[in-house]
Amino acid sequence: MNTIIVGLQWGDEGKGKIVDFLTETADVVIRGQGGNNAGHTVIAQGTKYVLHLLPSGILWDDKINVIGNGVVVDPVGLVAEIQKVEGQGVSITEDKLFISDRAHVVLPFHKELDAAREIALGDQKIGTTKRGIGPTYADKVNRCGLRMADLLDKEFTTAQITRRLVDANEVLAKYDLPTFEAAQVIEEVYTAFERLGPHVTNTIPILHKAWKSGQTLLFEGAQGTLLDIDFGTYPFVTSSNTTAGGSCTGSGLPPTAVQRVIGVCKAYTTRVGSGPFPTDDEGLSEYLHGLGREFGATTGRPRGCGWLDTVLLRFACMVNGVTDLAVTNLDGLDAYDTMQICVAYDVDGVRHELPPADRSAWEKARPIYETLTGWKTDTTGCKSFNELPEQAKAYLKRLSELCDAPVSFVGVGPDRAQTLVV
Ligand code: GDP
Ligand code: IMO
Ligand code: MG
């Protein structure tokens, strides 16, 4: 069975952990969108890995990992990540990692352009990860981007970068940010490409061969549904389609190759970066930060934390076609007497069961809560779903009803082993 894993909230739902858990029974793990704005934490046999561009299957021997055409690849960042993970004892060989020759390249100046955009936006800034994601996707859509395959032609690449830097440097100078010489950019990129070149190939026939021969495919989504460029809280979103469809356009595998969509959500809600967050709760944020939890895996920023928002989840289940829910971080609520679940928004006295599109409605959205009784029990040692306290099961049952999707996996701790199958 081939499966897409997607985030149902604003990212950091625990996708990495769920992908890693399911990789045991998979053959190929594929990233189809996003870039190193992602930070996927996997804790396996006591070792913590944080992956940004590498698919989480890289931690397993004998699994094939593909960085698809829809991903934006920062060659310098990817080499640093490979070196770090290799330093942790993971082998990254040419027969284990394949990078699409159609993937767009994040260039050093894209990161500075990202910073420039944020300065220009002032108090309306997106709160990006400053990894150059927006500017790289903008160049892709504007048809002036550079793809991995282009790097094979150094003359073309040099001309393209030289041309692009004319505009880019003008913008950077305006905001007193560092400007770039083409020669310096070329050197940086080609030094990284020496390490990456052997992995770059046409990944589409590799994926189709795996599919047709009955291998099990796992698509590792990055970010989350509310950060999707079409379905998210625009403009406070990322620049790719983070939803299920992005896995197909980002890999060259068709929708007919997929049988299951697992939507990952936390038992509460978190958000890092700017934008609306109706169920944001200072008390819950303080409590979780006090436990050393909910700090961004990529930027280290504290994530805002709030109650479970099923308005978001209901919508996310619809647009992704979620067949199964994976609810992580249930243990984060272990100490609470009561908890709130947002079942709808009130916008100027009108009840909304789905997220609005317009910004002013988002600003005015007030959560309508249902209160549930807590379980006040440490769940981190539970080894099966049946061992969970009754109130925890009731919480998950209500979540499932409100989203109209079954809960199939529950996370009670960050370790690979702390994943319960329902
Ligand atoms: P991703 O971006 O969706 O892969 O998620 P991140 O790795 O950015 O953030 C999820 C955080 O929650 C990480 O620190 C994980 O180690 C942690 N995590 C995942 N599942 C669980 C769980 O069930 N319980 C606990 N306590 N932590 C979890
Ligand atoms: P994973 O895969 C959480 C957020 C940023 C910002 C917005 C735009 O780990 O779930 P960008 O750098 O993409 O232009 O930033 O999106 N963001 C994430 N938040 N998890 C992520 O990835 C994110 N990737 C981007 O904080 O609000
Ligand atoms: Mg993350």
Side-chain angles (χ1 to χ4, degrees):
M1 184 155 49
N2 301 329
T3 304
I4 293 177
I5 313 277
V6 280
L8 300 182
Q9 295 161 322
W10 279 292
D12 301 331
E13 296 89 349
K15 298 175 293 293
K17 186 186 112 159
I18 298 296
V19 171
D20 174 66
F21 178 76
L22 293 172
T23 300
E24 189 166 10
T25 53
D27 301 297
V28 188
V29 183
I30 308 145
R31 274 280 306 271
Q33 45 70 229
N36 58 1
N37 49 348
H40 297 175
T41 315
V42 177
I43 300 179
Q45 275 118 26
T47 305
K48 178 174 165 174
Y49 305 89
V50 181
L51 302 169
H52 303 286
L53 272 162
L54 292 170
S56 297
I58 206 78
L59 304 179
W60 294 76
D61 290 331
D62 308 327
K63 307 288 177 187
I64 289 181
N65 293 274
V66 174
I67 296 179
N69 55 277
V71 177
V72 289
V73 178
D74 169 358
V76 179
L78 180 53
V79 169
E81 183 179 343
I82 287 174
Q83 285 168 349
K84 183 158 183 225
V85 174
E86 280 178 336
Q88 291 183 289
V90 177
S91 79
I92 302 181
T93 49
E94 285 161 43
D95 54 351
K96 203 173 156 190
L97 175 69
F98 297 92
I99 304 169
S100 170
D101 50 9
R102 287 177 167 83
H104 276 252
V105 183
V106 181
L107 295 162
F109 58 85
H110 284 127
K111 286 179 259 187
E112 295 299 334
L113 287 173
D114 195 345
R117 203 58 234 302
E118 290 284 86
I119 297 169
L121 284 168
D123 64 0
Q124 289 301 302
K125 71 173 186 194
I126 313 285
T128 72
T129 59
K130 300 215 177 87
R131 296 299 190 271
I133 305 301
T136 306
Y137 276 117
D139 280 2
K140 172 178 175 175
V141 175
N142 211 10
R143 294 162 293 184
C144 61
L146 203 63
R147 307 203 289 181
M148 288 312 270
D150 295 327
L151 297 183
L152 296 170
D153 182 344
K154 198 166 178 178
E155 206 177 308
F156 172 82
T157 299
T158 306
Q160 183 86 349
I161 289 178
T162 306
R163 207 175 311 128
R164 183 67 185 85
L165 275 177
V166 175
D167 293 342
N169 278 337
E170 202 178 303
V171 174
L172 297 178
K174 189 172 157 196
Y175 293 100
D176 287 330
L177 289 165
T179 55
F180 291 82
E181 299 279 346
Q184 160 205 357
V185 174
I186 300 285
E187 200 197 309
E188 244 184 81
V189 170
Y190 276 91
T191 304
F193 194 60
E194 262 174 50
R195 172 68 184 86
L196 301 181
H199 299 272
V200 177
T201 186
N202 183 0
T203 49
I204 297 165
I206 296 173
L207 290 172
H208 276 253
K209 194 171 157 215
W211 174 35
K212 293 297 178 188
S213 66
Q215 294 202 326
T216 301
L217 314 174
L218 205 53
F219 296 86
E220 176 171 359
Q223 290 81 52
T225 302
L226 277 300
L227 289 172
D228 183 283
I229 187 78
D230 282 277
F231 302 116
T233 41
Y234 192 88
F236 301 102
V237 294
T238 190
S239 300
S240 65
N241 280 116
T242 62
T243 38
S247 296
C248 293
T249 53
S251 68
L253 281 163
T256 46
V258 182
Q259 292 80 39
R260 177 168 71 161
V261 180
I262 300 179
V264 187
C265 64
K266 281 182 177 140
Y268 46 93
T269 312
T270 64
R271 171 161 212 177
V272 60
S274 335
F277 183 0
T279 64
D280 192 6
D281 189 87
E282 218 173 289
L284 190 56
S285 298
E286 270 174 28
Y287 169 72
L288 290 166
H289 294 154
L291 296 178
R293 293 169 64 152
E294 302 306 349
F295 293 92
T298 297
T299 59
R301 292 178 289 179
R303 300 174 184 140
C305 306
W307 299 112
L308 189 75
D309 184 339
T310 62
V311 178
L312 307 182
L313 294 182
R314 194 176 294 129
F315 180 62
C317 286
M318 286 166 68
V319 298
N320 288 298
V322 166
T323 57
D324 300 79
L325 289 165
V327 182
T328 67
N329 287 272
L330 185 72
D331 54 300
L333 299 176
D334 279 354
Y336 270 79
D337 289 323
T338 58
M339 48 274 256
Q340 315 269 58
I341 293 188
C342 169
V343 295
Y345 297 154
D346 178 301
V347 181
D348 287 333
V350 179
R351 186 183 169 98
H352 287 245
E353 300 212 338
L354 290 171
D358 60 297
R359 299 176 205 201
S360 65
W362 268 113
E363 271 162 32
K364 289 185 278 186
R366 297 286 163 263
I368 300 172
Y369 284 122
E370 236 176 62
T371 303
L372 273 80
T373 311
W375 43 94
K376 303 273 284 174
T377 311
D378 181 356
T379 58
T380 57
C382 289
K383 297 274 178 271
S384 71
F385 179 76
N386 282 335
E387 277 178 46
L388 287 175
E390 287 310 313
Q391 296 295 356
K393 286 187 200 157
Y395 185 81
L396 294 168
K397 182 164 176 275
R398 188 66 187 129
L399 184 164
S400 168
E401 280 166 6
L402 288 163
C403 303
D404 197 21
V407 175
S408 299
F409 305 91
V410 180
V412 292
D415 200 89
R416 188 184 274 174
Q418 287 170 304
T419 309
L420 315 179
V421 179
V422 182

